[in-house]
């Protein structure tokens, strides 16, 4: 039959680097609409996506349930409790799909605080994943790059063409995604590796296939990023 496409949106973080009183994915922009709602909308509005799972911080479960009903996010079928680390949240999300997806279905992993992603980024991610079993949205490094050395110094030039920046989504055939975590657990990598499925892939010697990305597809990390998103949303509603 037709292969399912499921989006896993991670809203388990408690990060408050944006200087707000709450995790950045729950910061409300206009008319009390949280960043997370804008992110979920990307997948709700994509015709290739069948189902959405939100992995949520335990303190915010009720908030997310209310948000889903308020905005009519009909594709959100699962709201799963996150773990105490990013990696554990992803694992909880992967496990929840156990009886629900087959190995050739696609799982797209997306951060709740990445609402800038465009539909062509999502489309290419699905396309590359169908072909190669996984895809990560990658962007060239457009700015000059140098090493980050002690005492605020930069001593060496870095060839930016040798690097890419990895953003959302990161998509996987479900069978392959489970296999990454199985091998990583066997090698005891889950506690030592920086918490991303792609980081585990590098540690395991797997190949990452690049899908389309662009410079606007940033993750909201700082207060400035949040201001930028507010301006973008304000601009959209003015047009």
């Amino acid at each position: 039959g037709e292969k399912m496409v499921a989006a896993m949106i991670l809203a388990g973080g408690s990060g408050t680097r944006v200087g707000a009183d709450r995790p950045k994915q729950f910061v409300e922009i206009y008319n009390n609409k949280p960043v997370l709602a804008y992110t979920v909308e990307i997948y709700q509005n994509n015709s290739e996506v069948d189902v959405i799972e939100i992995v949520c911080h335990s303190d915010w479960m009720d908030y997310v349930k209310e948000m889903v009903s308020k905005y009519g996010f009909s594709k959100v079928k699962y709201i799963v409790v996150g773990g105490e680390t990013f990696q554990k949240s992803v694992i909880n999300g992967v496990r929840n799909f156990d009886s629900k997806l087959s190995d050739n279905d696609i799982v797209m992993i997306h951060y709740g605080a990445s609402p800038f992603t465009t539909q062509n980024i999502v489309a290419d991610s699905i396309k590359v994943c169908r072909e190669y079993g996984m895809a990560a949205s990658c962007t060239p490094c457009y700015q000059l790059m140098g090493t980050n050395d002690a005492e605020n110094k930069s001593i060496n030039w870095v060839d930016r063409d040798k690097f890419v920046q990895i953003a959302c989504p990161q998509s996987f055939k479900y069978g392959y995604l489970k296999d990454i975590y199985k091998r990583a657990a066997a090698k005891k990598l889950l506690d030592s590796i920086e918490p991303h499925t792609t980081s585990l892939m590098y540690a395991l010697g797997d190949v990452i296939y690049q899908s389309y990305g662009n410079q606007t597809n940033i993750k909201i990390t700082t207060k400035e990023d949040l201001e930028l998103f507010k301006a973008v949303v304000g601009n959209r509603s003015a047009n």
Side-chain angles (χ1 to χ4, degrees), residues 10 26-27 29 40 60 67 106 138 141 145-146 151 158 182 189-190 195 237:
L10 299 164
F26 301 121
V27 172
I29 307 292
V40 172
W60 291 85
M67 178 197 87
I106 288 173
C138 293
C141 301
M145 286 174 72
E151 299 159 22
V158 172
K182 195 174 154 184
L189 294 172
L190 296 180
S237 21

Side-chain angles (χ1 to χ4, degrees), residues 10-226:
L10 299 164
S14 52
T16 49
R17 258 185 299 185
V18 291
D21 60 343
R22 52 177 63 198
K24 49 195 171 277
Q25 63 272 21
F26 301 121
V27 172
E28 294 174 351
I29 307 292
Y30 291 109
N31 305 326
N32 305 97
K33 186 172 176 178
V35 168
L36 181 63
Y38 291 94
T39 306
V40 172
E41 222 156 46
I42 298 163
Y43 290 94
Q44 175 70 32
N45 295 341
N46 187 291
S47 59
E48 289 188 277
V49 175
D50 302 295
V51 65
I52 300 168
E53 168 192 80
I54 300 172
V55 182
C56 178
H57 194 283
S58 53
D59 298 349
W60 291 85
M61 295 288 278
D62 290 341
Y63 180 93
V64 168
K65 281 174 192 158
E66 274 171 40
M67 178 197 87
V68 167
S69 91
K70 179 178 177 183
Y71 296 103
F73 292 143
S74 56
K75 290 182 188 176
V76 177
K77 301 280 190 266
Y78 314 108
I79 300 169
V80 179
V81 181
E84 60 265 36
T85 64
F86 180 95
Q87 200 70 277
K88 285 179 181 148
S89 289
V90 177
I91 292 168
N92 285 1
V94 172
R95 281 208 186 116
N96 177 59
F97 284 135
D98 252 354
S99 51
K100 304 169 179 82
L101 296 180
S102 70
D103 283 357
N104 281 320
D105 292 333
I106 288 173
V107 175
M108 310 184 75
I109 300 177
H110 202 100
Y111 316 128
S114 291
F116 287 96
T117 306
T118 56
Q119 293 298 345
N120 53 347
I121 289 174
V122 174
D124 198 57
S125 188
I126 294 169
K127 184 179 156 217
V128 173
C129 184
R130 284 207 171 111
E131 192 170 343
Y132 297 106
M134 76 80 55
S137 174
C138 293
T139 325
C141 301
Y142 290 109
Q143 310 213 36
L144 280 172
M145 286 174 72
T147 54
N148 182 15
D149 302 297
E151 299 159 22
N152 281 347
K153 293 174 187 169
S154 179
I155 295 166
N156 293 300
W157 175 82
V158 172
D159 183 356
R160 63 185 172 188
D161 292 337
K162 289 191 172 146
F163 298 93
V164 289
Q165 299 186 82
I166 302 176
C168 300
Q170 289 127 39
S171 302
F172 303 86
K173 294 266 178 83
Y174 185 53
Y176 178 50
L177 184 59
K178 284 188 293 189
D179 183 60
I180 291 169
Y181 281 94
K182 195 174 154 184
R183 286 183 291 141
K187 291 194 170 176
K188 303 202 176 356
L189 294 172
L190 296 180
D191 297 323
S192 58
I193 298 288
E194 181 266 335
H196 290 277
T197 315
T198 44
S199 316
L200 292 175
M201 287 178 69
Y202 284 128
L204 291 164
D206 289 13
V207 176
I208 288 171
Y209 290 90
Q210 301 184 37
S211 61
Y212 173 72
N214 63 43
Q215 227 176 170
T216 60
N217 189 23
I218 64 167
K219 181 176 171 209
I220 293 176
T221 310
T222 65
K223 207 170 155 196
E224 289 76 18
D225 300 337
L226 204 54

